[in-house]
Amino acid sequence: MVTDVDGNHFLDVTSAFGVVGVGHNHPRVVSAVQAQASKLLHGMGDVHPSEVKVRLCERIAGLVPLPQAQTILGQNGGDAVEAALKTAMLATGRPGILAFENGYHGLTYGALDVTARADFRGPFQAQLGGFTKHLPFGCSLAVIKEHLQAHRPGAVLAEPIQGRGGIVVPPPGWLRGLRELCTETGTLLILDEIFTGWGRTGSWFACQHEDVLPDILCIGKAMGGGLPISACVASAELMSVWGISTGEALHTSTFLGNPLACAAALAALDILEEENLPNRAVVQGKVFAEGLRRLQAEFPDLITEVRGRGLMLGLEMASPALALPLVPAALRAGLIVLPAGDGRVLEFVPPLVITTEQIDWCLETMRTLLTEAT
Ligand SMILES: Cc1ncc(COP(=O)(O)O)c(C=O)c1O
């Protein structure tokens, strides 16, 4: 729940860009930050890492599906993607990246090169590295194989479910096929789980639904419980390509591993684990999806598809002209919802702690708005 400056209350089904998986201002996250604030506000990144940063890296290693995982922390998702691209470059010596149309990986220059959105790329095209080729998301594995063999990119980068692209789920087995092709051709697989990670889709990481392990995992958003922190994670073996720092680190940043953000992340991960929130995403996701499908049955001319997994759901409308006005109308009714994709999709990615009563209220509000739209 969110309260604005005038005292109006809103139900936030966006998790504020997918960040507050444990809910806004979870008291345990707040008190972890307060306790950390009284000890140490700022550390020295990777030169003199704070104790809380070390604990977080160990905790991440225990939760991600990668052997002996090592992390490069960042402040936002774009940082994690930049670190993944650099890791792939160091490991393979091959600069090319295969990414997918409609994909969103952040807007810093490396991340923007792999992000497929023409609107974000357009004004900066002349400064982009141009190392990325994009193929349609979910396209034939034969086409991907041909591309990997012909162009020999160092890595393939994909979201397991495209988030900002409009909650797009690839065909069953596609991610597994991608993994196999990468292994077969000696290409690294980078999975961007910045949105899908930390329980959102009903497992800790979306790749686990298909038993797929990436070589490099990008995580962020919900990890910090509301504070800015992200990570690029890979096995110790792969991360060894960075070498041991003998002075100036090859990749670092001033606020890397900020103690407040690390403390918030440790609390958020504890909550996710102790409250079994990935499983809650399965249970509440089913309730939410069934409700959205009932709306589709009631308004078949307006709603063309309901899709997603866990608590990462999209309602596709017949046109952006129908979907976009619903966003401010929902806000006036007390519901924070965001559009995605080409504007036809409304995104339902609430905190994993959302109650059934809140889901019902959201669905009833949508029902009223859709009735008014007809
Ligand atoms: C899948 C994915 N990757 C990367 C990013 C970029 O994250 P940030 O905005 O924190 O840089 C986002 C943001 O929405 C995202 O959804």
Side-chain angles (χ1 to χ4, degrees), residues 76-78 104-106 159 164 192 194-195 221:
N76 54 51
Y104 187 87
H105 303 286
E159 295 161 79
R164 288 199 71 185
D192 178 347
I194 288 163
F195 204 156
K221 289 194 185 279

Side-chain angles (χ1 to χ4, degrees), residues 289-306 315-316 363 367 370 374:
E290 278 169 2
L292 292 174
R293 288 204 183 90
R294 280 198 301 277
L295 285 180
Q296 186 187 9
E298 207 177 324
F299 301 95
D301 296 337
L302 302 186
I303 300 171
T304 48
E305 196 180 2
V306 173
L315 186 77
E316 190 186 79
L363 292 167
R367 194 171 169 277
L370 289 163
T374 48

Side-chain angles (χ1 to χ4, degrees), residues 1-39:
M1 299 299 299
V2 176
T3 307
D4 74 5
V5 286
D6 301 315
N8 301 306
H9 301 299
F10 300 86
L11 175 69
D12 176 12
V13 291
T14 72
S15 300
F17 306 136
V19 167
V20 291
V22 297
H24 282 283
N25 277 28
H26 193 295
R28 281 179 68 184
V29 175
V30 172
S31 56
V33 172
Q34 284 168 339
Q36 181 59 43
S38 67
K39 278 197 238 160

Side-chain angles (χ1 to χ4, degrees), residues 74-373:
Q75 277 77 247
N76 54 51
D79 291 346
V81 172
E82 301 284 344
L85 295 173
K86 283 186 171 180
T87 304
M89 179 66 205
L90 285 179
T92 66
R94 309 201 306 267
I97 300 287
L98 171 63
F100 295 94
E101 288 170 11
N102 215 28
Y104 187 87
H105 303 286
L107 300 183
T108 49
Y109 267 116
L112 188 58
D113 203 76
V114 285
T115 288
R117 294 261 305 256
D119 48 348
F120 289 129
R121 295 167 61 95
F124 310 105
Q125 193 69 44
Q127 278 187 337
L128 289 180
F131 50 80
T132 309
K133 293 273 182 286
H134 294 100
L135 286 175
F137 186 64
C139 73
S140 131
L141 291 167
V143 170
I144 296 175
K145 184 172 185 172
E146 210 173 288
H147 181 93
L148 296 183
Q149 286 171 339
H151 299 278
R152 306 250 315 124
V156 173
L157 167 65
E159 295 161 79
I161 294 176
Q162 288 189 332
R164 288 199 71 185
I167 317 292
V168 187
V169 186
W174 187 77
L175 211 55
R176 168 150 287 280
L178 209 55
R179 169 70 276 176
E180 284 164 6
L181 286 180
C182 284
T183 306
E184 203 181 306
T185 56
T187 314
L188 294 176
L189 177 63
I190 307 171
L191 288 183
D192 178 347
E193 293 238 24
I194 288 163
F195 204 156
T196 52
W198 303 119
R200 166 79 31 214
T201 69
S203 57
W204 279 89
F205 298 95
C207 61
Q208 291 168 315
H209 291 297
E210 289 205 42
D211 239 347
V212 166
L213 296 191
D215 297 296
I216 304 175
L217 182 68
C218 296
I219 46 182
K221 289 194 185 279
M223 182 166 102
L227 264 73
I229 189 156
S230 66
C232 158
V233 192
S235 68
E237 191 192 347
L238 182 51
M239 282 300 196
S240 70
V241 297
W242 284 96
I244 305 278
S245 170
T246 50
E248 199 71 70
L250 193 52
H251 179 87
T252 188
S253 69
T254 304
F255 293 103
L256 183 152
N258 169 261
L260 292 187
C262 289
L266 279 166
L269 301 187
D270 282 350
I271 298 161
L272 283 167
E273 191 167 54
E274 288 165 28
E275 298 184 14
N276 199 2
L277 293 186
N279 188 56
R280 198 178 158 87
V282 175
V283 176
Q284 297 302 72
K286 193 163 175 283
V287 174
F288 215 144
E290 278 169 2
L292 292 174
R293 288 204 183 90
R294 280 198 301 277
L295 285 180
Q296 186 187 9
E298 207 177 324
F299 301 95
D301 296 337
L302 302 186
I303 300 171
T304 48
E305 196 180 2
V306 173
R307 56 181 184 244
R309 187 154 204 168
L311 279 171
M312 186 168 188
L313 298 167
L315 186 77
E316 190 186 79
M317 307 284 296
S319 70
L322 271 172
L324 291 174
L326 290 175
V327 175
L331 193 65
R332 282 192 292 276
L335 180 68
I336 305 177
V337 66
L338 279 176
D342 62 3
R344 273 184 307 158
V345 181
L346 296 180
E347 217 177 73
F348 293 89
V349 288
L352 310 186
V353 292
I354 192 167
T355 64
T356 306
E357 292 69 33
Q358 287 169 329
I359 293 174
D360 287 344
W361 183 82
C362 168
L363 292 167
E364 200 41 46
T365 304
M366 287 304 300
R367 194 171 169 277
T368 308
L369 297 175
L370 289 163
T371 307
E372 286 166 7

